[in-house]
Amino acid sequence: MSYVLDHLQKNIWRGRFDSFPEDVAIHGISARLGGASTGKYDSLNLGLHVQDDADRVWENRRRFLAAIGLNAQQLVTPEQVHGIHVARVGKDESGRGAKEYGDCIPQTDALITNEPGLPLLLCFADCTPILFVDTEKRAVGIAHAGWKGTVGRIAQATVLRMEQEFDTDPTDLLVGIGPAIGPCCYEVGENVAAKFAAAFPGHEQEIIHEQDGKPHVDLWQANMQALLDAGVPRANIDRADTCTACQHKWYFSYRADGGRTGRLGAVIALR
Ligand SMILES: [Zn+2]
């Protein structure tokens, strides 16, 4: 199991989990290279809500989805409000939020579907992308876990919703935890550290580390714990273990880029 960064074409790169079967799902995590945006958004910004030029964002979305074999016109994307609501989407939602942020799925931070060919897109700059494939019931999902979503256990909520909607057995789920700000760079205040300690009792040692006297949180580990608690076997969880702040020449990073920046996209579609 590993996370691989492939060069597709014209400086468009695709991060992928090699544990995900290509015959069940198409997925990819974008790097920041090869896009049409400029300045702070240089260059493959996939986020429509960050004051970048909307036509350039659309061109970037079109380029990235075409490069991985998907149609950007059909993509579905949510508002992303650092909540824990999971929405099931299907044919009727095809294209929601593709070109206009105001048209996206409101108040939602995770999407699931069993509709073939429907691309689910979520956007990130340091928050954790979590991708799901149910190889048996043939369904996919994707979640956005910043610190609030991680503490709220959105990873676990997504598994539960897939169980309810698709009769998913967590032991059939393959899950990938994508690039996000790592424990090396994710310094938090004492109040945030306390919320992680309360949300993951018995796992404080693995999730919260002291560095130069300041608490640092491991979002990858916390989300993995939520998945284990949901019944996903450790062997089914792939991790990029890639820090977006350390690797900010490759990935957009809210912290390393000083706040105003673009968004990488994580996309998954059932084949
Ligand atoms: Zn780092």
Side-chain angles (χ1 to χ4, degrees):
M1 280 201 303
S2 60
Y3 175 76
V4 185
L5 200 53
D6 298 321
H7 181 239
L8 301 178
Q9 52 182 269
K10 295 180 179 163
N11 214 18
I12 301 281
W13 297 73
R14 186 264 296 261
R16 66 178 168 85
F17 300 102
D18 70 357
S19 57
F20 282 19
E22 293 280 326
D23 59 333
V24 179
I26 302 170
H27 79 288
I29 293 172
S30 65
R32 64 183 296 171
L33 311 177
S37 296
T38 56
K40 295 247 183 201
Y41 310 107
D42 183 23
S43 63
L44 196 77
N45 167 38
L46 298 188
L48 260 182
H49 61 294
V50 292
Q51 278 103 49
D52 190 7
D53 180 81
D55 291 338
R56 289 188 175 161
V57 175
W58 171 246
E59 170 59 19
N60 294 337
R61 288 180 168 188
R62 196 199 57 72
R63 273 186 208 177
F64 183 66
L65 270 80
I68 64 174
L70 293 168
N71 181 351
Q73 304 265 5
Q74 295 170 345
L75 72 83
V76 184
T77 190
E79 188 181 3
Q80 294 183 218
V81 291
H82 295 278
I84 55 161
H85 182 249
V86 183
R88 176 181 179 172
V89 293
K91 234 181 245 155
D92 290 350
E93 285 76 31
S94 180
R96 290 281 303 273
K99 289 187 177 173
E100 276 184 55
Y101 185 61
D103 181 41
C104 62
I105 309 294
Q107 303 276 312
T108 294
D109 285 87
L111 298 176
I112 59 172
T113 192
N114 63 354
E115 178 68 35
L118 188 71
L120 312 179
L121 166 73
L122 269 65
C123 294
F124 303 85
D126 291 342
C127 294
T128 321
I130 309 170
L131 286 73
F132 303 78
V133 181
D134 179 342
T135 55
E136 296 304 309
K137 304 296 189 321
R138 294 187 77 92
V140 296
I142 182 166
H144 162 245
W147 78 259
K148 288 180 184 165
T150 303
V151 162
R153 291 177 172 262
I154 194 169
Q156 195 166 1
T158 308
V159 175
L160 270 171
R161 191 72 193 280
M162 290 183 79
E163 291 181 47
Q164 291 162 3
E165 297 288 341
F166 309 128
D167 199 24
T168 292
D169 180 335
T171 63
D172 295 329
L173 269 181
L174 299 176
V175 185
I177 299 174
I181 193 165
C184 39
C185 297
Y186 195 39
E187 183 186 316
V188 299
E190 295 290 349
N191 58 329
V192 171
K195 288 195 165 81
F196 275 88
F200 297 96
H203 301 285
E204 300 90 340
Q205 305 284 327
E206 302 138 49
I207 292 169
I208 307 158
H209 312 270
E210 286 276 320
Q211 199 175 304
D212 303 325
K214 298 273 174 56
H216 285 61
V217 160
D218 188 334
L219 291 170
W220 309 327
Q221 186 65 31
N223 282 295
M224 195 170 85
Q225 188 58 50
L227 292 164
L228 294 172
D229 292 344
V232 180
R234 173 64 188 94
N236 294 20
I237 305 170
D238 207 345
R239 293 171 39 150
D241 286 336
T242 297
C243 172
T244 45
C246 289
Q247 302 290 333
H248 72 106
K249 292 212 161 39
W250 280 94
Y251 298 102
F252 292 107
S253 168
Y254 188 85
R255 286 215 178 177
D257 297 332
R260 192 147 164 227
T261 190
R263 295 290 181 273
L264 64 85
V267 179
I268 191 161
L270 190 65
R271 200 174 277 280

